[in-house]
Amino acid sequence: MYSHGMSTPERLIESTRELLWERGYVGTSPKAILERAGAGQGSMYHHFKGKPDLALTAIRRTAEELRAAAEGALSGPGTPYERIEAYLGRERDVLRGCPIGRLTMDPDVVASEELRAPVDETIDWLREQLAGIVEEGKEQGQFAQSLDAEEIAATVLATVQGGYVLARASGSPAAFDTGVRGLLSLLRPLP
């Protein structure tokens, strides 16, 4: 499953990331991690303090990747509207859901300040980025002055996360796409 050149700690981290996305924290047993990583018994405890330490490393890596992908769209070329449109339309595995958003539904992650921190930080970062772009659009006269940048940022995030839920529930990415189109029609720049 993994490249022969990938170190054991890397295989453990990548396996944990995938399993957390698929099964959540409780469903990600040390045995499943070791099997998926093709690692020997005791490898996890040799390289990490235990499952919570490995999970935290995996969640941080997932958060970093999500931020990098979002930043690529949000800081790319174009008007504020086009950058929000690029973020909403970027490549996603909609039916799998958001690897960070899904962790907010995991009671063990939510109950742990340490495991929840990278999730909270990523959501806060996204909200700040989006609010800044909305403010930029208001300054340029592209968006109405009456828009509250924080509220619009929260609405964009809610549309994305809710779109994942609706798509997974229906078994089709169409629900996600419909929500995105609806939000973009509401944000369409002023003439």
Side-chain angles (χ1 to χ4, degrees):
M1 170 167 236
Y2 295 105
S3 156
H4 291 293
M6 190 182 279
S7 70
T8 300
E10 281 299 309
R11 291 194 324 265
L12 290 167
I13 293 166
E14 290 304 312
S15 296
T16 303
R17 290 178 63 207
E18 291 170 10
L19 288 164
L20 286 170
W21 195 3
E22 292 168 15
R23 303 177 184 182
Y25 186 81
V26 170
T28 300
S29 68
K31 181 180 178 186
I33 293 168
L34 292 171
E35 284 176 4
R36 179 142 326 168
Q41 193 103 8
S43 294
M44 178 189 308
Y45 299 99
H46 176 72
H47 297 288
F48 300 94
K49 294 175 192 156
K51 179 182 164 183
D53 183 41
L54 176 54
L56 179 60
T57 302
I59 292 168
R60 283 184 179 146
R61 169 116 18 114
T62 298
E64 288 167 11
E65 282 189 9
L66 188 134
R67 281 193 301 269
E71 187 165 8
L74 295 172
S75 66
T79 66
Y81 176 85
E82 290 168 341
R83 292 186 348 249
I84 291 172
E85 182 179 40
Y87 168 71
L88 290 169
R90 76 177 182 76
E91 185 77 25
R92 290 180 165 85
D93 190 348
V94 174
L95 294 179
R96 281 186 80 190
C98 175
I100 289 295
R102 286 187 67 179
L103 293 172
T104 65
M105 294 180 269
D106 190 309
D108 291 289
V109 172
V110 172
S112 166
E113 277 188 46
E114 192 174 30
L115 293 176
R116 191 179 66 243
V119 174
D120 290 344
E121 290 162 9
T122 300
I123 292 169
D124 289 345
W125 177 87
L126 265 170
R127 190 179 305 116
E128 289 172 19
Q129 298 301 306
L130 289 161
I133 292 170
V134 172
E135 283 298 333
E136 185 183 330
K138 287 170 58 174
E139 289 167 12
Q140 295 175 6
Q142 190 175 30
F143 297 137
Q145 290 300 312
S146 61
L147 290 182
D148 182 295
E150 292 292 326
E151 289 176 0
I152 298 302
T155 301
V156 171
L157 290 174
T159 299
V160 169
Q161 294 303 318
Y164 282 126
V165 170
L166 295 174
R168 286 177 56 83
S170 69
S172 168
F176 183 94
D177 297 338
T178 300
V180 165
R181 282 193 309 275
L183 176 59
L184 288 171
S185 71
L186 292 172
L187 286 178
R188 199 151 328 282
L190 298 171

mmCIF file of all heavy atoms in Angstrom, residues 8 11-12 29-48:
data_model
loop_
_atom_site.group_PDB
_atom_site.id
_atom_site.type_symbol
_atom_site.label_atom_id
_atom_site.label_comp_id
_atom_site.label_asym_id
_atom_site.label_seq_id
_atom_site.Cartn_x
_atom_site.Cartn_y
_atom_site.Cartn_z
ATOM 1 N N THR A 8 8.805 3.886 8.647
ATOM 2 C CA THR A 8 7.743 3.322 9.487
ATOM 3 C C THR A 8 6.909 4.415 10.155
ATOM 4 O O THR A 8 5.674 4.349 10.115
ATOM 5 C CB THR A 8 8.335 2.353 10.536
ATOM 6 O OG1 THR A 8 8.997 1.300 9.837
ATOM 7 C CG2 THR A 8 7.256 1.777 11.434
ATOM 8 N N ARG A 11 4.525 5.779 7.579
ATOM 9 C CA ARG A 11 3.457 4.818 7.269
ATOM 10 C C ARG A 11 2.421 4.808 8.385
ATOM 11 O O ARG A 11 1.216 4.731 8.127
ATOM 12 C CB ARG A 11 4.027 3.420 7.034
ATOM 13 C CG ARG A 11 4.830 3.306 5.764
ATOM 14 C CD ARG A 11 5.116 1.863 5.335
ATOM 15 N NE ARG A 11 5.361 0.918 6.397
ATOM 16 C CZ ARG A 11 6.567 0.562 6.851
ATOM 17 N NH1 ARG A 11 7.658 1.089 6.349
ATOM 18 N NH2 ARG A 11 6.676 -0.327 7.817
ATOM 19 N N LEU A 12 2.878 4.890 9.629
ATOM 20 C CA LEU A 12 1.952 4.918 10.761
ATOM 21 C C LEU A 12 1.085 6.183 10.725
ATOM 22 O O LEU A 12 -0.130 6.120 10.945
ATOM 23 C CB LEU A 12 2.721 4.834 12.083
ATOM 24 C CG LEU A 12 3.381 3.491 12.391
ATOM 25 C CD1 LEU A 12 4.362 3.637 13.541
ATOM 26 C CD2 LEU A 12 2.333 2.426 12.687
ATOM 27 N N SER A 29 -8.264 1.436 15.715
ATOM 28 C CA SER A 29 -7.539 0.684 16.749
ATOM 29 C C SER A 29 -6.051 0.619 16.407
ATOM 30 O O SER A 29 -5.669 0.703 15.238
ATOM 31 C CB SER A 29 -8.087 -0.741 16.838
ATOM 32 O OG SER A 29 -7.759 -1.453 15.649
ATOM 33 N N PRO A 30 -5.207 0.458 17.422
ATOM 34 C CA PRO A 30 -3.781 0.272 17.146
ATOM 35 C C PRO A 30 -3.534 -0.892 16.182
ATOM 36 O O PRO A 30 -2.683 -0.798 15.302
ATOM 37 C CB PRO A 30 -3.183 0.004 18.528
ATOM 38 C CG PRO A 30 -4.090 0.759 19.460
ATOM 39 C CD PRO A 30 -5.469 0.569 18.857
ATOM 40 N N LYS A 31 -4.302 -1.955 16.326
ATOM 41 C CA LYS A 31 -4.135 -3.114 15.437
ATOM 42 C C LYS A 31 -4.424 -2.722 13.989
ATOM 43 O O LYS A 31 -3.679 -3.094 13.076
ATOM 44 C CB LYS A 31 -5.069 -4.249 15.879
ATOM 45 C CG LYS A 31 -4.943 -5.491 15.028
ATOM 46 C CD LYS A 31 -5.873 -6.582 15.494
ATOM 47 C CE LYS A 31 -5.738 -7.790 14.564
ATOM 48 N NZ LYS A 31 -6.707 -8.820 14.872
ATOM 49 N N ALA A 32 -5.502 -1.963 13.765
ATOM 50 C CA ALA A 32 -5.852 -1.535 12.401
ATOM 51 C C ALA A 32 -4.766 -0.628 11.827
ATOM 52 O O ALA A 32 -4.428 -0.725 10.641
ATOM 53 C CB ALA A 32 -7.204 -0.828 12.397
ATOM 54 N N ILE A 33 -4.226 0.237 12.664
ATOM 55 C CA ILE A 33 -3.158 1.140 12.207
ATOM 56 C C ILE A 33 -1.944 0.325 11.768
ATOM 57 O O ILE A 33 -1.395 0.534 10.688
ATOM 58 C CB ILE A 33 -2.761 2.134 13.322
ATOM 59 C CG1 ILE A 33 -3.906 3.097 13.614
ATOM 60 C CG2 ILE A 33 -1.496 2.903 12.927
ATOM 61 C CD1 ILE A 33 -3.733 3.919 14.892
ATOM 62 N N LEU A 34 -1.533 -0.614 12.616
ATOM 63 C CA LEU A 34 -0.360 -1.434 12.311
ATOM 64 C C LEU A 34 -0.579 -2.269 11.051
ATOM 65 O O LEU A 34 0.321 -2.378 10.209
ATOM 66 C CB LEU A 34 -0.022 -2.337 13.497
ATOM 67 C CG LEU A 34 0.473 -1.621 14.751
ATOM 68 C CD1 LEU A 34 0.569 -2.604 15.919
ATOM 69 C CD2 LEU A 34 1.804 -0.930 14.500
ATOM 70 N N GLU A 35 -1.777 -2.836 10.908
ATOM 71 C CA GLU A 35 -2.070 -3.636 9.719
ATOM 72 C C GLU A 35 -2.012 -2.790 8.458
ATOM 73 O O GLU A 35 -1.400 -3.174 7.461
ATOM 74 C CB GLU A 35 -3.446 -4.294 9.843
ATOM 75 C CG GLU A 35 -3.468 -5.474 10.771
ATOM 76 C CD GLU A 35 -4.860 -6.072 10.961
ATOM 77 O OE1 GLU A 35 -5.827 -5.619 10.299
ATOM 78 O OE2 GLU A 35 -4.964 -7.001 11.789
ATOM 79 N N ARG A 36 -2.655 -1.635 8.497
ATOM 80 C CA ARG A 36 -2.681 -0.774 7.305
ATOM 81 C C ARG A 36 -1.281 -0.273 6.979
ATOM 82 O O ARG A 36 -0.924 -0.139 5.824
ATOM 83 C CB ARG A 36 -3.633 0.391 7.503
ATOM 84 C CG ARG A 36 -3.622 1.275 6.278
ATOM 85 C CD ARG A 36 -4.852 1.898 5.798
ATOM 86 N NE ARG A 36 -6.100 1.243 5.922
ATOM 87 C CZ ARG A 36 -7.245 1.860 5.719
ATOM 88 N NH1 ARG A 36 -7.267 3.140 5.404
ATOM 89 N NH2 ARG A 36 -8.385 1.223 5.826
ATOM 90 N N ALA A 37 -0.489 0.027 7.997
ATOM 91 C CA ALA A 37 0.865 0.549 7.782
ATOM 92 C C ALA A 37 1.852 -0.543 7.395
ATOM 93 O O ALA A 37 2.958 -0.241 6.939
ATOM 94 C CB ALA A 37 1.350 1.252 9.047
ATOM 95 N N GLY A 38 1.452 -1.798 7.595
ATOM 96 C CA GLY A 38 2.387 -2.888 7.353
ATOM 97 C C GLY A 38 3.554 -2.830 8.331
ATOM 98 O O GLY A 38 4.685 -3.145 7.988
ATOM 99 N N ALA A 39 3.232 -2.426 9.557
ATOM 100 C CA ALA A 39 4.267 -2.262 10.591
ATOM 101 C C ALA A 39 4.145 -3.370 11.620
ATOM 102 O O ALA A 39 3.058 -3.894 11.871
ATOM 103 C CB ALA A 39 4.118 -0.901 11.262
ATOM 104 N N GLY A 40 5.246 -3.692 12.223
ATOM 105 C CA GLY A 40 5.281 -4.750 13.217
ATOM 106 C C GLY A 40 4.713 -4.326 14.555
ATOM 107 O O GLY A 40 4.594 -3.140 14.860
ATOM 108 N N GLN A 41 4.353 -5.336 15.330
ATOM 109 C CA GLN A 41 3.843 -5.116 16.676
ATOM 110 C C GLN A 41 4.840 -4.276 17.462
ATOM 111 O O GLN A 41 6.030 -4.486 17.402
ATOM 112 C CB GLN A 41 3.684 -6.485 17.362
ATOM 113 C CG GLN A 41 2.887 -6.443 18.615
ATOM 114 C CD GLN A 41 1.483 -6.985 18.377
ATOM 115 O OE1 GLN A 41 1.178 -7.506 17.331
ATOM 116 N NE2 GLN A 41 0.640 -6.831 19.365
ATOM 117 N N GLY A 42 4.366 -3.298 18.171
ATOM 118 C CA GLY A 42 5.237 -2.454 18.982
ATOM 119 C C GLY A 42 5.792 -1.246 18.251
ATOM 120 O O GLY A 42 6.378 -0.364 18.886
ATOM 121 N N SER A 43 5.627 -1.184 16.918
ATOM 122 C CA SER A 43 6.162 -0.054 16.151
ATOM 123 C C SER A 43 5.562 1.271 16.600
ATOM 124 O O SER A 43 6.262 2.277 16.697
ATOM 125 C CB SER A 43 5.892 -0.228 14.657
ATOM 126 O OG SER A 43 6.597 -1.314 14.151
ATOM 127 N N MET A 44 4.269 1.254 16.872
ATOM 128 C CA MET A 44 3.598 2.491 17.268
ATOM 129 C C MET A 44 4.230 3.022 18.557
ATOM 130 O O MET A 44 4.513 4.213 18.672
ATOM 131 C CB MET A 44 2.103 2.261 17.478
ATOM 132 C CG MET A 44 1.372 3.512 17.938
ATOM 133 S SD MET A 44 -0.336 3.227 18.433
ATOM 134 C CE MET A 44 -1.001 2.376 17.054
ATOM 135 N N TYR A 45 4.466 2.142 19.498
ATOM 136 C CA TYR A 45 4.981 2.567 20.792
ATOM 137 C C TYR A 45 6.485 2.859 20.750
ATOM 138 O O TYR A 45 6.999 3.541 21.621
ATOM 139 C CB TYR A 45 4.632 1.529 21.859
ATOM 140 C CG TYR A 45 3.134 1.384 21.964
ATOM 141 C CD1 TYR A 45 2.466 0.343 21.329
ATOM 142 C CD2 TYR A 45 2.378 2.343 22.633
ATOM 143 C CE1 TYR A 45 1.081 0.241 21.392
ATOM 144 C CE2 TYR A 45 1.002 2.252 22.701
ATOM 145 C CZ TYR A 45 0.360 1.199 22.072
ATOM 146 O OH TYR A 45 -1.009 1.114 22.131
ATOM 147 N N HIS A 46 7.140 2.379 19.720
ATOM 148 C CA HIS A 46 8.554 2.706 19.534
ATOM 149 C C HIS A 46 8.703 4.146 19.024
ATOM 150 O O HIS A 46 9.607 4.865 19.433
ATOM 151 C CB HIS A 46 9.210 1.723 18.557
ATOM 152 C CG HIS A 46 10.627 2.043 18.253
ATOM 153 N ND1 HIS A 46 11.649 1.867 19.177
ATOM 154 C CD2 HIS A 46 11.215 2.560 17.147
ATOM 155 C CE1 HIS A 46 12.785 2.247 18.636
ATOM 156 N NE2 HIS A 46 12.563 2.674 17.401
ATOM 157 N N HIS A 47 7.790 4.555 18.132
ATOM 158 C CA HIS A 47 7.892 5.865 17.484
ATOM 159 C C HIS A 47 6.984 6.941 18.106
ATOM 160 O O HIS A 47 7.218 8.133 17.917
ATOM 161 C CB HIS A 47 7.577 5.742 15.994
ATOM 162 C CG HIS A 47 8.538 4.870 15.259
ATOM 163 N ND1 HIS A 47 9.830 5.262 14.986
ATOM 164 C CD2 HIS A 47 8.412 3.620 14.753
ATOM 165 C CE1 HIS A 47 10.457 4.298 14.341
ATOM 166 N NE2 HIS A 47 9.623 3.287 14.174
ATOM 167 N N PHE A 48 5.944 6.510 18.813
ATOM 168 C CA PHE A 48 4.977 7.442 19.412
ATOM 169 C C PHE A 48 4.676 6.980 20.830
ATOM 170 O O PHE A 48 4.871 5.824 21.173
ATOM 171 C CB PHE A 48 3.690 7.490 18.575
ATOM 172 C CG PHE A 48 3.933 7.946 17.165
ATOM 173 C CD1 PHE A 48 4.148 7.028 16.153
ATOM 174 C CD2 PHE A 48 3.974 9.298 16.855
ATOM 175 C CE1 PHE A 48 4.406 7.441 14.849
ATOM 176 C CE2 PHE A 48 4.221 9.730 15.555
ATOM 177 C CZ PHE A 48 4.448 8.794 14.555
#
